[in-house]
Amino acid sequence: MAQIIDGKALALEMKNELKTQIDAWVKLGHRAPTLRCILVGDDPASHTYVNNKIQAAIYVGIDAQTIKRSKDISEEQLLAEIEQLNADANVDGILVQLPVPETINERKICNAVAPEKDVDGFHVSNVGKLCLDMPTLVPATSLAVIQMLKRYNIDTLGRNAVVIGRSKNVAMPIAMMLHTDKRHDSGLGMDATVTICHRYTPKDQLEFYCRHADIIVTATGIPKLIKADMVKPGATIIDVGITKVTDENGKSRLVGDVDFDEVSKIAGALTPVPGGVGPVTVTMLMHNTFQVAQSRVGKSLTA
Ligand code: NAD
């Protein structure tokens, strides 16, 4: 049976570490790190995600607030809100919960957040730095995947890794760090041989690449995409996907991309959904917020 990579336990451990660091930071006379989350509209999933972020922030000692705006807010108004937070010296991290309504250009919004306050790591200059292996603010989900591999001592050097999905906010930064040279400045490189699969990868090819993979990271949102016969015995599988499904009794629950019950009999290590990547992602967002607070005063407790 696969070792379960327990994201919930890992997140708690990392939050406690962060809380200790933030306490020490505040004892040195610095103000508590601050995070502002802009939440547009009334999508229930977005409300849950932001609420989870606020709860985690409170736990570690970050002063966090949600700024709720109607789904009818114009792009100009939203840009003005972001500009105000950019200019506010009492605000460290800023994030705009995605997706924003279709009337608003998402890329414009991501690029409006000051890059040094961009705790989601979605600003074009932060994405560029990540691609160049420069130290920067890295998207929390991808950072979570890397941390899970590191903390569970999963060997990646020279190993075959398959990333399924190619979204710019989630899968791409994962693939970027997995293949990168560890000796480069970011310190996040994992030195794996990486294959990226996506919706136009033929099914037989997806199966082929997966069967040769030591590490599979899947981020598609397609339940049971990864079946047991696609997995090399002993492989590590990180399931980023989250999909709400309704079972035959009408009860809804969250599932990942992996056929968990069957794959857990073959894999060496596997993340569950829920309780896998999700909680660690939220923790990494807090890590990024503290990173911003430290950069603001040019000091670091975590380096
Ligand atoms: P997205 O819709 O932007 O990307 C989905 C990707 O899946 C695309 O790149 C697409 O090419 C690929 N894909 C679709 N069908 C495929 C197939 N049959 N075979 C191979 N690849 C296929 O979504 P996203 O924002 O990248 O999120 C991906 C998943 O991760 C979603 O389920 C989302 O809810 C979840 N997610 C989880 C966390 C977390 O913290 N755990 C964070 C963000 C997103």
Side-chain angles (χ1 to χ4, degrees):
M1 280 303 270
Q3 177 186 26
I4 302 304
I5 299 181
D6 186 344
K8 227 171 149 183
L10 186 56
L12 182 61
E13 184 184 312
M14 293 172 83
K15 276 192 294 187
N16 285 335
E17 289 167 13
L18 202 51
K19 183 175 163 42
T20 305
Q21 289 169 353
I22 293 174
D23 284 349
W25 178 254
V26 171
K27 279 201 183 97
L28 284 174
H30 302 292
R31 67 156 169 73
T34 57
L35 173 66
R36 298 295 175 261
C37 306
I38 303 182
L39 175 55
V40 181
D42 31 43
D43 172 49
S46 291
H47 277 254
T48 304
Y49 291 143
V50 170
N51 194 35
N52 289 344
K53 291 169 189 177
I54 299 289
Q55 294 307 319
I58 292 167
Y59 185 87
V60 299
I62 290 172
D63 163 0
Q65 283 173 24
T66 308
I67 300 168
K68 289 186 188 154
R69 293 294 175 257
S70 140
K71 64 178 181 351
D72 301 322
I73 190 170
S74 70
E75 188 175 279
E76 292 67 34
Q77 285 168 322
L78 186 54
L79 289 170
E81 295 265 4
I82 295 169
E83 201 40 59
Q84 224 177 346
L85 296 173
N86 286 342
D88 188 341
N90 287 316
V91 173
D92 295 321
I94 303 168
L95 74 82
V96 181
Q97 183 64 40
L98 300 180
V100 287
E102 276 173 12
T103 49
I104 296 174
N105 181 322
E106 185 176 293
R107 181 56 20 223
K108 231 176 169 174
I109 298 304
C110 292
N111 288 345
V113 175
E116 66 278 10
K117 297 188 176 193
D118 170 34
V119 286
D120 265 339
F122 295 163
H123 188 285
V124 63
S125 79
N126 288 328
V127 177
K129 283 181 178 172
L130 176 68
C131 294
L132 293 172
D133 304 347
M134 294 163 73
T136 190
L137 290 160
V138 177
T141 306
S142 54
L143 214 46
V145 170
I146 300 303
Q147 280 299 325
M148 293 172 100
L149 293 172
K150 283 190 171 172
R151 297 234 176 184
Y152 273 77
N153 295 316
I154 308 295
D155 192 14
T156 54
L157 190 137
R159 300 293 167 136
N160 289 336
V162 171
V163 177
I164 310 168
R166 58 176 171 183
S167 69
K168 297 302 167 197
N169 294 349
V170 181
M172 184 279 281
I174 296 169
M176 198 55 70
M177 284 184 281
L178 276 174
H179 88 272
T180 291
D181 190 332
K182 194 181 189 157
R183 293 168 306 177
H184 286 182
D185 287 350
S186 74
L188 295 168
M190 302 296 275
D191 287 315
T193 305
V194 176
T195 304
I196 299 172
C197 297
H198 50 75
R199 75 173 79 251
Y200 297 121
T201 305
K203 198 168 179 306
D204 62 326
Q205 291 298 301
L206 177 68
E207 290 170 1
F208 171 84
Y209 288 119
C210 285
R211 279 193 203 112
H212 287 84
D214 302 299
I215 299 136
I216 297 173
V217 182
T218 180
T220 69
I222 301 175
K224 299 201 175 174
L225 180 68
I226 308 301
K227 305 243 175 26
D229 63 0
M230 296 166 70
V231 173
K232 177 166 138 179
T236 297
I237 304 182
I238 309 287
D239 190 351
V240 182
I242 303 177
T243 308
K244 199 175 193 176
V245 293
T246 309
D247 66 19
E248 54 280 7
N249 305 319
K251 257 183 98 177
S252 62
R253 63 192 174 100
L254 297 179
V255 296
D257 294 354
V258 175
D259 184 351
F260 186 89
D261 292 342
E262 293 305 315
V263 169
S264 61
K265 295 175 189 161
I266 305 285
L270 173 62
T271 62
V273 177
V277 178
V280 185
T281 294
V282 176
T283 308
M284 296 323 295
L285 186 69
M286 302 310 133
H287 162 91
N288 283 354
T289 305
F290 187 38
Q291 189 182 320
V292 170
Q294 292 175 100
S295 309
R296 179 176 46 81
V297 295
K299 286 187 184 147
S300 171
L301 279 179
T302 50

